Amino acid sequence: MPLLTIHHKTEYRYNRPVAFGEHRIMLRPRDGHDLRVLDSQLDISPTPMSLRWIHDVFGNSVAIATFDERADTLTFDWHVTVEHNPVEEFALTPDDPAFFYPFVYDDEEFPDLVQYITPQYADPNDEIAEWARGFLDEDSPSPTFKILSGITHGIREQFKYRKRHEPGTQHPLDTLQSGTGTCRDYALFMIEALRHLGFAARFVSGYIFVPEDIEEHHVGGGSTHAWVQVYLPSAGWIEFDPTNGIVGTRDLIRVAVARDPRQAIPLYGVYIGPGDAFEAMDVNIKVVSDDQDSDQEMEAEVL
């Protein structure tokens, strides 16, 4: 049972003391049969007036901090150790209802999945839909796993990964037309492509652990990461990482799931003061295996 330790530190710097509004912190991994939080500590400076934890509409753990003092720096320092038990790559049998595409979602489940099946972004000329249909066999039905695996690896092979420091996620059409994007852009594009095919898909935010022996094959290590979950009858929610071509939870540490990336921002808040008071934001993230030496730690800025 591998143990992974995550250190995520974010520091905001200002050229004069400012006041702070409410900050929402979404950094705690989601417990489950494949991931268990063993220890966690969140240190915030200056100390917030109040800190409370809630579950949002998707069941993600969110800490909400409020402040009553001014400062020229605001720091969030998060340490967490998790027990990570990656689920083996899923395999459907011909008896499973989703073995072949197209398939039909159960009447009892469909009302809860419809928000994840409905495309959320405009595709006026069907460019995204046409791209997605390119992974279907001409002779229907198509094996579902072949479609999902093909799209996962297709994005990785056809698009060029690049870090983009602008906030937010670009429109899926921009990703398709430019052929470039970050992990968040890849994930959103894959979600919209799958929704055009009738799959229930949602956004996942978290971290990726990159073992030293495969470091050259993975990107996104040392920073917040994003990928996709697809719901299949009898198989449930399955992870697909189009940035690295990963199927399943291997090396992926799930923190939040959402219908749209805007609902899974790791850290969000405001300061109260002059517009020119803000100087910089520094983010440092390390994901370390307890089985590895500290010199294998990785650092990077958040995308």
Side-chain angles (χ1 to χ4, degrees):
M1 297 181 181
L3 301 182
L4 299 174
T5 297
I6 304 156
H7 180 204
H8 184 159
K9 183 178 181 180
T10 300
E11 182 177 84
Y12 300 93
R13 298 197 306 273
Y14 305 87
N15 58 28
R16 72 199 75 175
V18 297
F20 304 105
E22 179 181 280
H23 280 66
R24 295 173 65 91
I25 308 137
M26 194 181 295
L27 300 176
R28 189 186 193 280
R30 289 175 63 102
D31 289 280
H33 60 273
D34 58 346
L35 186 68
R36 186 160 67 98
V37 175
L38 301 180
D39 183 60
S40 64
Q41 180 178 339
L42 174 61
D43 297 313
I44 304 174
S45 179
T47 302
M49 177 179 63
S50 68
L51 180 69
R52 61 190 178 95
W53 289 86
I54 66 168
H55 286 105
D56 69 7
V57 68
F58 303 106
N60 303 311
S61 291
V62 182
I64 301 177
T66 57
F67 301 86
D68 61 353
E69 62 178 286
R70 293 174 175 268
D72 57 9
T73 61
L74 175 62
T75 304
F76 298 86
D77 199 359
W78 169 253
H79 289 81
V80 61
T81 299
V82 300
E83 181 182 271
H84 189 34
N85 301 296
V87 176
E88 294 183 5
E89 189 171 295
F90 85 102
L92 299 175
T93 69
D95 294 329
D96 289 313
F99 183 79
F100 286 111
Y101 173 89
F103 57 86
V104 178
Y105 285 111
D106 186 270
D107 289 343
E108 291 296 318
E109 295 180 331
F110 184 80
D112 300 304
L113 295 172
V114 66
Q115 63 176 330
Y116 302 113
I117 297 172
T118 307
Q120 306 288 308
Y121 292 80
D123 184 22
N125 298 317
D126 289 335
E127 294 176 66
I128 299 173
E130 185 63 27
W131 184 91
R133 286 193 290 267
F135 292 89
L136 304 180
D137 290 340
E138 292 184 4
D139 298 324
S140 187
S142 306
T144 299
F145 177 78
K146 181 180 178 182
I147 297 170
L148 295 173
S149 178
I151 290 177
T152 301
H153 293 285
I155 292 173
R156 187 187 187 197
E157 294 166 1
Q158 295 180 25
F159 299 162
K160 182 178 180 180
Y161 176 85
R162 69 178 180 91
K163 290 185 177 181
R164 181 170 48 78
H165 297 286
E166 300 87 350
T169 307
Q170 67 189 15
H171 194 287
L173 276 176
D174 292 334
T175 302
L176 177 60
Q177 293 168 357
S178 68
T180 63
T182 67
C183 59
R184 284 183 164 245
D185 300 325
Y186 281 10
L188 179 57
F189 174 76
M190 181 171 177
I191 288 169
E192 286 295 289
L194 290 172
R195 287 172 176 171
H196 279 287
L197 296 180
F199 286 96
R202 65 185 182 184
F203 183 86
V204 188
S205 177
Y207 304 99
I208 182 171
F209 170 64
V210 183
E212 188 179 54
D213 58 343
I214 61 172
E215 188 170 354
E216 63 182 45
H217 303 296
H218 277 9
V219 295
S223 58
T224 55
H225 194 53
W227 61 95
V228 179
Q229 281 187 340
V230 180
Y231 189 84
L232 299 176
S234 77
W237 290 104
I238 307 298
E239 331 269 311
F240 295 87
D241 177 7
T243 304
N244 295 295
I246 298 174
V247 177
T249 58
R250 174 175 51 86
D251 299 329
L252 300 176
I253 305 163
R254 186 187 320 110
V255 169
V257 299
R259 174 180 50 81
D260 187 88
R262 291 168 293 187
Q263 299 166 311
I265 299 174
L267 181 57
Y268 175 78
V270 297
Y271 77 89
I272 304 167
D276 62 352
F278 177 75
E279 283 192 338
M281 176 183 72
D282 294 326
V283 181
N284 184 273
I285 299 172
K286 302 176 183 178
V287 181
V288 183
S289 169
D290 283 10
D291 298 328
Q292 291 182 309
D293 296 330
S294 60
D295 60 0
Q296 294 177 1
E297 296 177 355
M298 295 157 287
E299 299 184 15
E301 289 189 347
V302 170
L303 299 178

